[in-house]
Amino acid sequence: FSDSLMREVRKNNIRVCTLMPSTIASDMSIDLKLTDGNPDKVLQPEDFAEWVRDILKMNRRAMIANGSIFSTNP
């Protein structure tokens, strides 16, 4: 769906980007025991936020259509 939407609206200078993170240390992921939240090993919310910020700062002539981000050593 996002790829089709991106192809349809990019001619109107609208960027659609699909971001796929691995587990991020959040209250929910820790409560569900998906991660222990160890900041030395697991993605933190600020890591994802920094990634989004960097994508938004890209020059308008370029866009990221999709991307994945993973913890280096979970």
Side-chain angles (χ1 to χ4, degrees):
F1 174 75
S2 60
D3 185 65
S4 296
L5 181 61
M6 179 271 297
R7 292 172 189 275
E8 183 175 328
V9 299
R10 71 182 183 169
K11 63 184 169 270
N12 298 316
N13 293 320
I14 299 170
R15 296 187 281 182
V16 175
C17 180
T18 304
L19 304 179
M20 298 166 285
S22 65
T23 302
I24 296 175
S26 65
D27 291 341
M28 183 174 74
S29 65
I30 293 169
D31 289 347
L32 292 173
K33 302 196 183 328
L34 300 174
T35 179
D36 63 4
N38 182 338
D40 292 329
K41 293 185 173 188
V42 179
L43 284 175
Q44 300 297 302
E46 57 269 22
D47 299 325
F48 188 77
E50 184 176 331
W51 187 35
V52 171
R53 184 201 64 214
D54 290 346
I55 290 169
L56 291 172
K57 287 174 59 176
M58 289 183 68
N59 190 292
R60 296 294 297 171
R61 68 176 167 260
M63 71 175 209
I64 301 290
N66 55 62
S68 299
I69 186 171
F70 293 88
S71 299
T72 301
N73 190 15

